[in-house]
Amino acid sequence: MYHDFESHAITRRSFLKGAGAVGAAGLLAACGGSSSSSTAASASSASSGAAASGKGLSELFTYETSGREIESWNMLYSQQAIDFNVTTNLIDGLIGFDNYGKPVPAIAKSWEHNEDSTVWTFHLRDDVDWVDINGEVQDHLTSKDFLTGFEWVLNAKKNQASNTSMPSTTVVGAADYYDKTYAMDDAAAAALTYDDMLAAGVGIDAPDDYTVVFTCLNPCPYFDTVASYVCCYPAPPALVEKLGVEGFRGVDYTQQWCCGPYLIEEFVADNSKRFIPNPHYYAADECTRFERVSLSMITDLTVGYQLYQNRELDELELSESTLTTITSDSSNAYNDQLCEKRPTKYAYDFHFNFNCLNSDGTPNENWNKAVANRAFRRCFQEGLNLIPYYARFNKINPLKCENSFYTMKGVCYNSKGTDYVDLVAKELGIDGEKYDGETMIHLRKSTADSIAALKKQAMDELSAVGVTFPVKVPFFFVAGNTVQQDNATVLKQCFTDSFGDDFIQLELGTYVSSLAKEVRIPKLHGFVINGWGADFGDPINFLGQEILHDSNAYYAVNYSNIPLVAENPADYQKELVEEFEQFTDLVNAANAIVDDTDARYEAFAKAEAYMINNSLAVPCYYDVHWCLTHVNEYTKINAMFGPCNYKYINWETSEDAYTTAQYEEFAKAFDAAKA
């Protein structure tokens, strides 16, 4: 229930400003569906299992945790969810998604492809305008804006390889144009326009102001999912020209032009954001939006719980300690309001750093030698019991968080309707293993003796190359975040309980605000646990992030640093590099199969199984939290592709918190409608 703030002469907004944490986003209902009637139907199907809890929210208060502040306002340049969670509310692309993850019209009102899926035609709305921070119209959006955006992405000197891999592997001439610009000097590349791109033979065209046509290198039945991603987003030519290359790459919210549902009313870095409706939003009559969305940066979920109790947040994921507090007290007011969320679209993995440095810039040779050893990495894969760590995210059903794959479930299906990850499970020999709520899948086949033997093998092999034990593993979390600190402490104990303290020990460290700037770029991490969500509906989008010889392989270049190792491997690293070469060959061979989707997926499954069996990266967890909420999770956008899941549209809300029973009914209704 709402507290009676009027009796204290204070509003939720003024309270949060006074507390230094402006709260989360406000929401009315649904936007961006193919029609207002279909939007209503989607919301109804997800909520019909329970009666409405009362009046909906006109203003939403939500949050983000510290260390996840937006780093780039340029959707074409960023590759991070922490940025897209904000900018998806400011700029729309060709295609959107509904709460079932189905593609729906956005700026493109319709689209089609030819018989072999090599030519895709998108028909644009004619009523889309760009507005500035004040909501004043600056320009009209046409097909030329998509040409401008595409040229920007493919121009190596403008976008610096960000988001280039998807169009480069799917669109005619895209890779050649990137290579051409990469070889040019900065000034010459900066002077290029979309006319130069078209003259170079890149497979995009704008036959009129409201039509965009892409020509693919090969049959590409999933290209609509590529087109939903930011690599195909528009850029206003006049703004690009006004700001110049450096200015547009580093554009901020005060300079940005918007065509999405919201504008930024206020932004205080590492503190708060406020969104208000875009007064010229093209889909305003087809949807409802919040009057205001207030998003706070909070230090941790413990602080969030205090804000939720004070009615200063409308939704909150629960930490293990808070969930324990609630469930251990039968009289707790929130006992019947605990709601289990759907898994997010991210598959989280251990991403090793094979070129770790000390804080003084010298190589961390002990770790680098250890992680280059296959038996050592296999201990992560075969012997680590992560149930206590999973309980940090889902104390009630921790094994719902277990992840055995690198690619997320639901990304793509073969012609028989089989989920791609089920093909991977077959290759791994775990296709018969099901959730039992008791034991991790990989531990069902391992024994104490087999794990001890693997540990001994690793220690013997590593001792022979001069590794000292225990191997200290640098692992970082954001300073001041007690939940992350507790997560890291529990993870450290998982290693102790699984292997003893004589083998592997986590060496916990902190960063102030940016994992990228303070840890990843200086290469200080031993490993990072990070999640990847699909940018489009094909396994290459996951596996392609780990391969050699590709500057767009995100995790290889930015996290594992294996390309640097491969340039001049030490003797102890040569086997590791060969494993990555073999994996890369398998991925490239699978990606070369373009005329038989089933054969393509089978080949990718073999490649993924090879990566997992050699523990080049190790699957870790799925994000399945419990929450307290005034938002019906099942009415939020739930796409496996693209950046738009945090768009504040199509949400059903209630002034009264939803109950456990209601959420169970929401889940049943949602699953029935989806089936």
Side-chain angles (χ1 to χ4, degrees):
M1 294 177 65
Y2 279 100
H3 285 244
D4 183 7
F5 290 104
E6 290 186 3
S7 64
H8 301 284
I10 188 170
T11 66
R12 290 209 283 165
R13 187 173 303 104
S14 61
F15 172 88
L16 289 173
K17 277 190 171 181
V22 180
L27 128 91
L28 288 180
C31 273
S34 56
S35 69
S36 56
S37 60
S38 66
T39 296
S42 294
S44 174
S45 63
S47 59
S48 59
S53 297
K55 182 180 178 182
L57 304 175
S58 61
E59 185 168 354
L60 179 71
F61 289 77
T62 189
Y63 69 96
E64 184 62 271
T65 53
S66 298
R68 291 182 54 81
E69 181 59 277
I70 185 170
E71 295 183 4
S72 173
W73 294 87
N74 188 328
M75 289 195 79
L76 303 179
Y77 183 59
S78 174
Q79 297 184 111
Q80 299 190 100
I82 58 173
D83 300 332
F84 297 152
N85 294 349
V86 177
T87 54
T88 185
N89 288 288
L90 310 180
I91 299 176
D92 277 356
L94 287 167
I95 296 174
F97 292 90
D98 67 12
N99 57 324
Y100 293 98
K102 292 170 55 179
V104 296
I107 293 177
K109 60 185 180 182
S110 65
W111 59 92
E112 73 270 357
H113 58 78
N114 64 349
E115 185 174 354
D116 67 354
S117 300
T118 57
V119 179
W120 288 75
T121 303
F122 296 84
H123 305 283
L124 310 184
R125 299 176 64 126
D126 62 2
D127 56 352
V128 183
D129 290 322
W130 292 102
V131 302
D132 64 12
I133 186 176
N134 300 312
E136 297 177 357
V137 174
Q138 299 298 303
D139 209 346
H140 184 62
L141 187 148
T142 70
S143 57
K144 304 301 187 297
D145 300 67
F146 288 93
L147 297 181
T148 301
F150 207 63
E151 195 280 330
W152 178 276
V153 167
L154 294 181
N155 192 312
K157 299 303 171 62
K158 292 180 180 179
N159 217 38
Q160 300 177 334
S162 294
N163 298 310
T164 306
S165 61
M166 287 156 277
S168 292
T169 57
T170 54
V171 176
V172 167
D176 291 339
Y177 188 75
Y178 172 83
D179 291 341
K180 171 185 175 181
T181 59
Y182 185 84
M184 299 173 70
D185 63 55
D186 291 357
L192 296 177
T193 68
Y194 64 74
D195 286 324
D196 299 298
M197 175 185 68
L198 297 178
V202 176
I204 183 174
D205 193 20
D208 58 52
D209 281 348
Y210 302 107
T211 306
V212 178
V213 180
F214 293 91
T215 302
C216 298
L217 282 162
N218 300 292
C220 191
Y222 58 86
F223 187 78
D224 55 341
T225 65
V226 176
S228 73
Y229 194 61
V230 296
C231 62
C232 295
Y233 265 50
L239 183 63
V240 174
E241 182 178 356
K242 174 184 177 182
L243 297 179
V245 171
E246 295 293 333
F248 184 67
R249 186 190 303 128
V251 68
D252 66 25
Y253 78 101
T254 65
Q255 304 163 312
Q256 183 69 275
W257 292 357
C258 303
C259 62
Y262 291 93
L263 306 176
I264 294 292
E265 181 185 39
E266 179 182 271
F267 170 64
V268 180
D270 298 314
N271 182 279
S272 60
K273 304 174 188 68
R274 287 214 304 266
F275 302 79
I276 55 175
N278 175 356
H280 296 281
Y281 185 46
Y282 64 87
D285 294 337
E286 302 164 20
C287 68
T288 53
R289 294 165 284 169
F290 292 111
E291 294 175 4
R292 179 177 281 103
V293 174
S294 297
L295 188 149
S296 303
M297 302 297 295
I298 62 174
T299 54
D300 57 47
L301 296 179
T302 303
V303 172
Y305 184 50
Q306 296 170 356
L307 293 174
Y308 186 88
Q309 288 177 299
N310 291 332
R311 201 57 184 87
E312 308 306 328
L313 291 178
D314 294 315
E315 56 179 354
L316 177 72
E317 289 183 351
L318 298 175
S319 66
E320 180 191 31
S321 59
T322 301
L323 194 56
T324 299
T325 298
I326 295 172
T327 57
S328 62
D329 179 5
S330 59
S331 64
N332 191 289
Y334 297 116
N335 256 320
D336 66 345
Q337 297 175 16
L338 297 173
C339 301
E340 189 173 37
K341 302 181 71 173
R342 296 176 291 183
T344 65
K345 72 174 187 176
Y346 299 98
Y348 288 80
D349 305 274
F350 289 93
H351 294 280
F352 298 118
N353 177 9
F354 299 106
N355 187 39
C356 183
L357 303 181
N358 297 309
S359 58
D360 62 1
T362 60
N364 184 339
E365 289 196 3
N366 207 56
W367 167 254
N368 291 340
K369 288 180 178 180
V371 77
N373 180 272
R374 182 181 184 276
F376 179 83
R377 300 193 307 274
R378 289 299 298 168
C379 288
F380 284 72
Q381 187 82 36
E382 296 185 25
L384 193 55
N385 185 350
L386 289 170
I387 291 178
Y389 184 64
Y390 294 159
R392 296 291 302 166
F393 307 97
N394 190 326
K395 176 181 172 59
I396 297 173
N397 299 313
L399 277 172
K400 283 193 176 180
C401 298
E402 182 181 10
N403 174 19
S404 299
F405 312 105
Y406 187 78
T407 300
M408 182 60 188
K409 297 177 181 178
V411 168
C412 53
Y413 300 82
N414 69 10
S415 63
K416 298 178 181 178
T418 302
D419 193 318
Y420 162 76
V421 298
D422 291 335
L423 303 178
V424 180
K426 185 176 181 180
E427 292 290 337
L428 293 171
I430 59 173
D431 49 320
E433 301 293 338
K434 305 298 181 185
Y435 170 84
D436 67 5
E438 297 180 0
T439 309
M440 293 181 66
I441 288 174
H442 72 260
L443 291 178
R444 296 177 197 174
K445 297 186 176 183
S446 301
T447 65
D449 288 343
S450 66
I451 295 170
L454 185 63
K455 170 185 170 181
K456 183 179 184 304
Q457 177 189 347
M459 294 184 76
D460 288 346
E461 293 175 355
L462 291 175
S463 295
V465 294
V467 171
T468 59
F469 296 96
V471 174
K472 298 295 182 69
V473 189
F475 184 79
F476 293 83
F477 60 90
V478 64
N481 188 318
T482 59
V483 173
Q484 285 196 23
Q485 180 177 0
D486 290 345
N487 288 350
T489 302
V490 169
L491 182 64
K492 180 177 181 178
Q493 189 64 40
C494 286
F495 279 87
T496 295
D497 294 343
S498 299
F499 305 118
D501 282 332
D502 62 327
F503 183 36
I504 305 172
Q505 287 185 7
L506 260 61
E507 192 171 58
L508 303 183
T510 61
Y511 60 93
V512 176
S513 61
S514 173
L515 177 69
K517 296 176 182 178
E518 299 171 52
V519 178
R520 177 171 60 78
I521 294 173
K523 303 179 179 60
L524 303 180
H525 57 292
F527 67 81
V528 170
I529 299 176
N530 205 358
W532 186 264
D535 298 327
F536 56 90
D538 189 76
I540 187 61
N541 182 238
F542 273 81
L543 302 186
Q545 310 309 322
E546 300 281 3
I547 62 176
L548 288 172
H549 316 303
D550 187 340
S551 61
N552 296 299
Y554 181 72
Y555 280 118
V557 172
N558 297 297
Y559 283 80
S560 75
N561 297 301
I562 189 64
L564 294 177
V565 174
E567 288 178 3
N568 187 27
D571 287 343
Y572 65 82
Q573 295 171 318
K574 289 180 179 178
E575 184 176 349
L576 170 69
V577 172
E578 179 54 38
E579 289 167 345
F580 266 98
E581 291 283 8
Q582 179 65 23
F583 168 66
T584 299
D585 289 344
L586 289 170
V587 171
N588 289 338
N591 197 36
I593 302 172
V594 296
D595 56 354
D596 185 338
T597 300
D598 288 355
R600 177 182 178 87
Y601 292 170
E602 289 175 4
F604 271 122
K606 292 181 185 298
E608 182 160 340
Y610 179 90
M611 180 181 73
I612 293 172
N613 283 330
N614 287 280
S615 302
L616 303 181
V618 174
C620 186
Y621 74 93
Y622 298 129
D623 203 2
V624 186
H625 279 269
W626 287 77
C627 66
L628 299 172
T629 186
H630 293 253
V631 179
N632 181 351
E633 173 90 2
Y634 292 90
T635 61
K636 293 182 179 182
I637 295 174
N638 186 41
M640 282 296 164
F641 330 107
C644 64
N645 280 4
Y646 276 67
K647 198 182 295 286
Y648 302 117
I649 59 176
N650 295 343
W651 292 14
E652 178 188 274
T653 62
S654 170
E655 284 189 354
D656 297 329
Y658 287 112
T659 66
T660 307
Q662 285 177 308
Y663 247 61
E664 290 173 350
E665 290 300 312
F666 293 160
K668 290 178 183 178
F670 181 87
D671 290 342
K674 188 174 183 179

